[in-house]
Amino acid sequence: MDADRAERLTAELRARGVMAHLVHAGVYEFGIRVVLDDRIEALWDMDGAAGLDAEIVNEGALIGFVPHVPGSEEFTEEQMVNTIATTNYALDTLQRPADRASSTGTPARPPEEPAPATPPALRRQRRAHWIRRGRR
């Protein structure tokens, strides 16, 4: 999404009472951030793909997706604003990251067992080793 279009969409969303902000995702990459809760946000169209889709993040951690909206490649700006403003962001209706992996044909990996915890004394010894090494 280009900067001018993202700014226009953000202004329209704000006029509708949606807490929307312009996001600079990178060089020539722009998107719209919709604040859903004090920690949860929807990041719309920041990956450069055609059409509308969103990632739902909680303090930067991905917690769900709004899947690609079919036909959104040909949407007018008014239709885009309407889609973003009326999307159901309830967590039980969103596509989870694990669901997305299974829907693309890639099998979801089973959860791995956590690595055995290192005793606290050994961690301190390693850290002390690096501290001493840096003072030489």
Side-chain angles (χ1 to χ4, degrees):
M1 183 179 307
D2 66 345
D4 294 333
R5 186 176 203 182
E7 286 178 6
R8 287 191 305 270
L9 293 175
T10 302
E12 280 295 317
L13 286 165
R14 285 183 176 188
R16 285 181 150 204
V18 177
M19 290 180 52
H21 307 277
L22 179 67
V23 176
H24 298 274
V27 179
Y28 302 114
E29 289 182 18
F30 300 92
I32 298 170
R33 180 182 61 159
V34 177
V35 178
L36 306 175
D37 195 358
D38 60 341
R39 297 180 190 153
I40 300 175
E41 301 172 335
L43 303 174
W44 284 91
D45 196 26
M46 295 180 51
D47 57 1
L52 282 178
D53 59 4
E55 297 175 351
I56 309 301
V57 294
N58 183 359
E59 292 186 352
L62 181 66
I63 60 171
F65 295 96
V66 175
H68 176 76
V69 179
S72 60
E73 299 86 8
E74 304 298 323
F75 276 8
T76 64
E77 288 185 7
E78 183 179 332
Q79 289 171 317
M80 285 184 173
V81 168
N82 191 38
T83 300
I84 294 171
T86 59
T87 296
N88 182 7
Y89 294 104
L91 293 178
D92 57 340
T93 62
L94 294 174
Q95 190 174 11
R96 304 273 186 224
D99 296 342
R100 185 154 215 185
S102 62
S103 69
T104 58
T106 307
R109 294 187 323 191
E112 297 177 11
E113 292 184 27
T118 307
L122 290 177
R123 277 189 269 164
R124 273 191 239 111
Q125 288 175 356
R126 281 193 214 135
R127 196 175 324 140
H129 167 75
W130 286 103
I131 293 170
R132 277 185 274 139
R133 191 172 184 195
R135 289 183 181 168
R136 287 186 181 173

